[in-house]
Structures are given as C-alpha cells and as structure tokens.
Amino acid sequence: MPGSATPLLRVAAIVNVVMQSIIAVTGSVVRVTGSGLGCPTWPNCQPGSLVPVPHPEFDQLQQWIEFGNRLLSGLVGVVALVCLYLAWKRRPRGGRQVRLAAIVLAGVLAQGVVGGIVVLLGLVWWTVAFHLLVSMALVWASVLFLHSVVEGTEGEYRSLVPGSLRKLLIVATVALAAVLVLGTMVTGAGPHAGDPETPRLNLPIAPLAQFHADALFLFLGMLIALGFALHATGWTRLMRRWYWVLVVTVLAQGSLGMVQYWTGVPETLVSFHVLGAAAVTAVMAGLWTVCGERVPVQPAPGTELPSESRRKTPATTK
C-alpha cells in the first residue's frame, strides 16, 4: 500500500509512547525515594562530575537513582529523534507525521531544561508539578503521532461524531486536565517531596484530596454521558473499544487513588498512580483519534493529475 508506514516506524512510535510513560514513573521513583537532590547540580550530577561520585553529604544510592532517571531521559530523547528521522525518511513523506514527531522531540528537549530548573530551584512543588504535567502532554502527543503512523493517510480531517459530541469530548478532556492538575497539588502537599528539606504546598491535604476525587467523579460522569451519546449516534467498533478501555482504566485509577489515601500514601502506590495517570491520558488521546479520520483529497472532475502530462498535437505539414 503506497504511503503505509514501515514496520520499523510503527515499532518506534509504540516504543515512544511506552518510554514517555515510563519516564514519568521513574520520576516518581526519584521523588518517593527522596533522591530528587541526589544530584544537586545540572547537567552535572556533582560539581565537576557528570556522574555520581562518593560524597559525604549525598547518599550514593540516591545519586544513582537520580542519575539513572537522567540517563533514561536521554534514551527517551533518542527514541523521539529516531521517530522524527523515520517519519522524515518515509516516502511519500507525511507532513503531519513529521510535525507531530518534531513536537514530541521538542517537548523532550524542553523537559530536560525543565528538569534542570526543578533541581536548581530545590524541587519547589510547583516546578515538580509542571514537570509531570508536561510528561502527560508528551504522552498525549505521542499517541497522536502513533495514530498518524498507523492511519497512514494524509488528507482532509473528517469528524465521525456530531459537533455537539465533539464539544462534550472537549469538555471531558478539560475535566481530565483538572484531575491531573489537582493531583499534582495533592502531591505537592503530601509527604513525598523528593527531598526531606523541600518546602511543601502549605494547604491541608484532606480538602485537596477531596477536590481531586470530586474532579475525578465529574470526569467519570462526563464519560458516562459520552458513552450514551456515542452509542445513540452509532459509534464505530474502534470507538466502542477505546471507550470501554478508558472507563476501565479510569475506574482502576480511581480505586488505586482511594487505596493510596486510606493506606497513608505508600511509596509503591505513588508510582503506580503516576503510571495510571499516564495510562488514562494515553487512552483518552486514543479515543480522540478514533472519533475522526483523514480521507485522501480527491481531485475535482476534469482536473489533470500531477503525474499526467499534456499531449501536444503535432503540427501538420503540407
């Protein structure tokens, strides 16, 4: 099929989504182990040394945990660069794929800068929160890139749902963004700062956790309404599949959050909760992608195709 993605490009796009999710989880591991300032400088780990070195004030294990996360960030960048190269190399070249791959790579590079700022500012809670939210945005963009690779078509976008349903989908996405933002605020007021000396968000955690849960219930309610509306308008098989995966993922994430709160926010569950946030974001982006399609632009009747050449009538001789 002309223009179809190569197997290597498909694999790279899938690995990119996985890596964008994993780096968010390893970032949470850095935080819950108190390793956020294991490497107190950036881009070096210790002053004058790129890698961890024995130091009387910094635990060696915590240095390697933070440094390992930095190394993994570099690998994430390499995967994003490979995706951009393969999308650029593909023939015929898909402009949309190249743009999405470039956005992902630019976001990864920006995350490196943000990570450095987080360290240099001493893990202030709002910098850590922004760091996580950028990761969720990169997960979303990576799913869009993967879909563009699988779809394998450049052309005009056509929505498969009515305009009112598209607006409901937008509102539900805004609600998900609110859930994520409130989740970072709960984390900012919680016990896992990344370093024992880091100041926390000076707000009571119980009301914040309640607001976070309320936003999740609002999001779930919108999903229920969206499900009924999609069913009523004749959803496709892919829409139905992605929708139910999203509902199950949200319910699992909500249940995990409640267990996490009731058990005093154990370290292991924090990382699983971050993984759940990445999963919900990825599946929500997947639902977005299957609510529309791109169709090849058909030439107008009588329009000459670019590959065709005009035939000139030879001059007659007498």
Side-chain angles (χ1 to χ4, degrees):
M1 173 180 170
S4 61
T6 64
L8 185 57
L9 178 56
R10 287 175 179 255
V11 170
I14 294 171
V15 171
N16 179 59
V17 174
V18 174
M19 293 299 295
Q20 295 293 348
S21 303
I22 288 178
I23 193 63
V25 176
T26 59
S28 72
V29 172
V30 170
R31 181 161 47 83
V32 299
T33 58
S35 306
L37 293 179
C39 293
T41 62
W42 186 89
N44 287 339
C45 181
Q46 295 290 344
S49 176
L50 180 65
V51 300
V53 294
H55 196 288
E57 297 181 11
F58 298 96
D59 180 77
Q60 190 76 358
L61 177 60
Q62 290 181 338
Q63 287 190 58
W64 279 105
I65 291 175
E66 165 63 10
F67 184 70
N69 187 60
R70 294 185 182 186
L71 286 179
L72 187 61
S73 299
L75 181 58
V76 172
V78 170
V79 172
L81 180 61
V82 170
C83 287
L84 178 58
Y85 170 74
L86 293 176
W88 178 266
K89 184 180 177 183
R90 179 183 172 187
R91 294 293 183 272
R93 183 179 300 143
R96 181 166 169 266
Q97 287 178 12
V98 173
R99 287 192 298 271
L100 287 170
I103 288 171
V104 172
L105 179 59
V108 172
L109 296 176
Q111 270 290 67
V113 176
V114 172
I117 293 173
V118 170
V119 172
L120 296 177
L121 292 182
L123 307 182
V124 180
W125 75 270
W126 58 266
T127 62
V128 177
F130 182 72
H131 203 29
L132 176 63
L133 292 174
V134 174
S135 286
M136 296 300 103
L138 284 173
V139 170
W140 185 286
S142 297
V143 172
L144 296 186
F145 172 67
L146 173 59
H147 177 72
S148 73
V149 169
V150 174
E151 192 177 38
T153 304
E154 291 292 324
E156 293 182 348
Y157 179 81
R158 181 177 68 184
S159 178
L160 298 176
V161 298
S164 58
L165 231 63
R166 172 104 10 207
K167 291 178 182 177
L168 179 58
L169 195 57
I170 293 173
V171 174
T173 305
V174 172
L176 173 59
V179 173
L180 294 173
V181 171
L182 287 169
T184 63
M185 294 180 68
V186 174
T187 299
H192 304 297
D195 185 80
E197 304 300 322
T198 299
R200 310 305 291 136
L201 173 61
N202 190 24
L203 289 174
I205 192 169
L208 281 176
Q210 185 61 57
F211 289 144
H212 180 48
D214 291 342
L216 180 63
F217 289 137
L218 175 63
F219 175 57
L220 186 57
M222 289 183 177
L223 287 186
I224 294 173
L226 182 63
F228 279 109
L230 286 172
H231 178 72
T233 56
W235 55 6
T236 65
R237 179 179 56 85
L238 281 177
M239 287 182 201
R240 183 169 62 251
R241 179 185 301 173
W242 278 99
Y243 172 79
W244 285 115
V245 171
L246 178 60
V247 170
V248 171
T249 307
V250 171
L251 290 175
Q253 175 73 339
S255 301
L256 179 60
M258 288 188 287
V259 172
Q260 187 181 12
Y261 182 76
W262 293 334
T263 56
V265 199
E267 289 85 351
T268 303
L269 291 188
V270 171
S271 296
F272 277 108
H273 202 51
V274 172
L275 178 61
V280 172
T281 302
V283 180
M284 185 69 184
L287 180 60
W288 260 98
T289 62
V290 297
C291 286
E293 64 180 0
R294 292 191 177 272
V295 294
V297 179
Q298 298 295 331
T303 302
E304 184 181 89
L305 296 177
S307 59
E308 295 179 348
S309 60
R310 296 180 181 274
R311 294 186 177 181
K312 296 182 179 180
T313 304
T316 54
T317 58
K318 295 183 180 179

